[in-house]
Amino acid sequence: MYQLLKYEVQEGICTIVLNRPEVYNALSPALIQEITQAVETAAESLEVRVIVITGAGEKAFCSGADLKAGVGNAASLGESLRKNYNPMILAIRNAPKPVICRLNGIAAGAGCSLALACDSIIAAENASMSQIFVNIGLIMDAGSSYFLPRLVGSQKAFELCSTGRIVAAEECLALGLVNQVVTNDALDGAVQQLALQYAKAPTKAIGLIKKVLNHSGNSSLEQMLELEAVYQDEAAQTQDFMEGVSAFLQKKRPNFKGI
C-alpha cells in the first residue's frame, strides 16, 4: 500500500516509519502524500488508539525537503506547500488521537515542522532540530511559524528561524521543544511506554482535549469556556465516561475501549 513508508498496527499503536534512510528520510512529494494518507487512515481506524511517527535509521528523523529531487521554480513553492505540506500538517493536528514523534535523529526544515506538529516528542540523546530554511534563502514553513512562537516565545523563535542553527536534544528539552530526552538505547522503550499508556486511555476524550487546545492560542477566555462546555457534553456521551465513573465508584482500574 505504501512505497516510501512503513505502516504497522499492534496493540492499538499505529507506527508510521518514514523509510528513505538513504536520503535521511527527506520529504519528496510522494512521501508527503503517503504520510498524509497514513495519518488519515490511522485517524479513522477503530483499531488505532495512538499514532507514532518516526524515521528509518539512526541518523535522521527527517532532513526536510528533498532538494535533490528538485523544488521546482520559485513561483511553485507556495503551491507545493498548499498541495503537499499543509495537508500533512493538518492531518496530524486534526487527528482525534494522540500523535507521538519518536525523534531518532536530526529533524531539519520541514522535518522539524513535522516533528513539532505532533502532540508529544520523545527524543534520543543524539537527536537535534534545525530551522534550516534560511540557509538556502527561504522562510520557515509547514507550520513552524505557528508552533515555534507558542513553544519558545517570539524572540527565541526568531533566533532559531533566522540563524538556522542546530539545536541539540538537551537544549530542545530546556526550550520546551520536546517532552523527554532519553539515551539512544532507551528510545524504543520510552516511546512504547507512552504509546501503551495512550492505547489504554479514553481515546475520544483525548481527541477532544486536542481539539480544544488547538483553539486556545487564538481564542478569548469566554470562547474557551464555551468550547469546554460544548466538548464536555460530547465527552459525557462516550462509553468511556460511563466506564470511568463506574470504575471510580468501585475503586478499580477503568477498562477504556476508546468509544
Side-chain angles (χ1 to χ4, degrees):
M1 184 176 179
Y2 300 104
Q3 302 298 316
L4 303 174
L5 61 79
K6 297 178 182 178
Y7 182 100
E8 181 182 60
V9 179
Q10 288 187 349
E11 299 183 88
I13 304 167
C14 173
T15 303
I16 298 170
V17 183
L18 282 58
N19 194 28
R20 303 185 72 210
E22 71 281 0
V23 290
Y24 301 107
N25 303 313
L27 294 167
S28 63
L31 175 57
I32 295 169
Q33 290 169 14
E34 286 196 5
I35 295 169
T36 304
Q37 181 183 349
V39 171
E40 290 177 343
T41 298
E44 295 174 2
S45 172
L46 296 177
E47 184 183 3
V48 174
R49 305 278 290 277
V50 56
I51 302 167
V52 175
I53 300 178
T54 190
E58 299 179 354
K59 294 183 178 180
F61 168 73
C62 177
S63 60
D66 188 350
L67 299 181
K68 291 183 178 180
V71 295
N73 57 61
S76 73
L77 293 185
E79 187 56 33
S80 176
L81 291 174
R82 297 184 187 99
K83 179 181 178 181
N84 298 310
Y85 290 86
N86 296 358
M88 175 181 68
I89 299 302
L90 289 172
I92 294 171
R93 294 310 315 150
N94 292 332
K97 298 168 185 179
V99 181
I100 301 170
C101 170
R102 176 186 176 274
L103 193 65
N104 57 302
I106 181 70
C112 185
S113 303
L114 174 61
L116 294 176
C118 298
D119 300 302
S120 296
I121 303 176
I122 299 180
E125 59 188 352
N126 71 323
S128 58
M129 290 182 160
S130 173
Q131 291 289 319
I132 202 169
F133 304 95
V134 70
N135 290 355
I136 58 170
L138 293 178
I139 70 165
M140 61 282 160
D141 61 29
S144 277
S145 65
Y146 179 89
F147 301 121
L148 275 175
R150 286 164 170 77
L151 291 169
V152 303
S154 58
Q155 289 184 331
K156 181 59 70 171
F158 176 77
E159 175 202 323
L160 297 179
C161 292
S162 62
T163 65
R165 69 179 179 87
I166 296 175
V167 185
E170 288 296 339
E171 185 181 359
C172 286
L173 180 63
L175 290 174
L177 291 172
V178 304
N179 298 85
Q180 187 179 356
V181 174
V182 299
T183 64
N184 298 342
D185 291 340
L187 181 61
D188 286 335
V191 171
Q192 183 74 358
Q193 182 179 8
L194 181 59
L196 284 173
Q197 178 183 332
Y198 282 131
K200 297 176 182 178
T203 310
K204 287 197 172 182
I206 291 177
L208 291 172
I209 288 170
K210 182 172 175 178
K211 198 170 186 178
V212 171
L213 290 177
N214 279 343
H215 289 280
S216 181
N218 303 305
S219 301
S220 66
L221 173 60
E222 290 79 7
Q223 289 171 321
M224 292 308 298
L225 289 169
E226 177 58 24
L227 278 176
E228 289 172 356
V230 169
Y231 291 127
Q232 196 70 293
D233 271 344
E234 190 171 333
Q237 302 304 310
T238 64
Q239 291 184 28
D240 280 343
F241 169 66
M242 300 300 295
E243 169 64 17
V245 172
S246 176
F248 177 82
L249 294 175
Q250 297 178 52
K251 297 183 180 180
K252 67 176 185 178
R253 186 181 298 275
N255 181 23
F256 295 123
K257 301 293 186 182
I259 55 177

